[in-house]
Amino acid sequence: MAEITESFAERTKASLREALLEAATDLLATHGYAGLRMADVAAAAGVSRQTVYNEFGNKMALVQAVTLRTTAEFLEGIRARFEAAPDLLTGIHRAVAYTIEHGRENQLVASALGTQAGEDLLPFLTTRGEPILSAAAELASAHYREFLPALDQPSADLLAETATRLTLSHLVLPTHSAAEAAERVCAAMAPAIAHFSSTMECER
């Protein structure tokens, strides 16, 4: 009985947290970081303001939780495209195209890149975007090594970080379509991948 009660409590807490994150995401997209109020998040989720503070502590922690939730959504899409790809460059192309397409459709990213209210969210993608960069690069690096077992970890990490930085650059400064951006990233990465791969093979 205690286990059932505990399981129910955990599900209830998870449901509450998800409702708060969903409400905060909508409000951030509309009002930006400066315009986000914990009281508004509470009202949108149908709970007290103290409940929001009890769950997240402060506004910055809430926004960071929203950022991590959004990042996890992107990472799942990237993982799926790498896993379905027949080779590394195809995986990179699909992952880059997905990231840019999904980013332009995502309400938070679109707000940060295209609205005055959301301008103060942009640092979460740029100057304060290290958690996003690290998570995406770590995931990509693991797939690089799956496709090219000869790659050592430092080389895979370097290649993955480079591709991730290029992708974020295309997302933040959208001068090309998602497909064109993916082609450009692949064109830049192909010689580097070939170089590292041949070097590792020679050293074996």
Side-chain angles (χ1 to χ4, degrees):
M1 186 66 176
E3 291 181 359
I4 295 175
T5 302
E6 183 178 346
S7 177
F8 176 77
E10 290 174 352
R11 290 197 304 271
T12 300
K13 182 176 176 60
S15 178
L16 169 63
R17 186 177 181 86
E18 185 64 22
L20 293 174
L21 289 173
E22 190 66 36
T25 298
D26 292 340
L27 290 167
L28 276 170
T30 304
H31 302 293
Y33 179 80
L36 180 70
R37 297 173 61 244
M38 300 291 262
D40 292 336
V41 175
V47 300
S48 69
R49 184 174 65 173
Q50 188 58 48
T51 298
V52 184
Y53 280 103
N54 289 345
E55 185 67 31
F56 295 101
N58 55 54
K59 185 168 83 168
M60 176 56 73
L62 171 59
V63 174
Q64 288 174 338
V66 169
T67 302
L68 289 173
R69 177 175 178 264
T70 303
T71 301
E73 180 183 312
F74 275 88
L75 294 180
E76 184 56 39
I78 292 170
R79 179 183 293 107
R81 280 150 184 81
F82 268 117
E83 290 178 351
D87 56 71
L88 177 55
L89 281 175
T90 300
I92 293 173
H93 190 285
R94 292 177 181 176
V96 173
Y98 162 78
T99 300
I100 294 174
E101 287 172 353
H102 191 61
R104 292 172 182 174
E105 295 171 354
N106 180 273
Q107 59 179 336
L108 276 183
V109 178
S111 177
L113 297 177
T115 69
Q116 185 173 355
E119 283 182 353
D120 59 4
L121 297 174
L122 191 57
F124 288 94
L125 288 173
T126 54
T127 55
R128 294 167 64 182
E130 194 276 335
I132 296 175
L133 173 66
S134 296
E138 182 179 349
L139 172 63
S141 177
H143 285 293
Y144 284 26
R145 296 200 72 194
E146 288 179 5
F147 281 109
L148 301 174
L151 277 180
D152 61 16
Q153 191 68 59
S155 299
D157 290 346
L158 175 59
L159 290 170
E161 180 181 338
T162 301
T164 302
R165 287 182 180 276
L166 287 171
T167 303
L168 288 175
S169 176
H170 279 286
L171 177 60
V172 173
L173 188 61
T175 55
H176 303 284
S177 69
E180 290 170 340
E183 290 170 4
R184 287 171 176 263
V185 172
C186 285
M189 295 302 300
I193 291 171
H195 168 74
F196 278 105
S197 298
S198 62
T199 299
M200 293 300 138
E201 287 290 352
C202 289
E203 292 178 353
R204 293 181 69 179

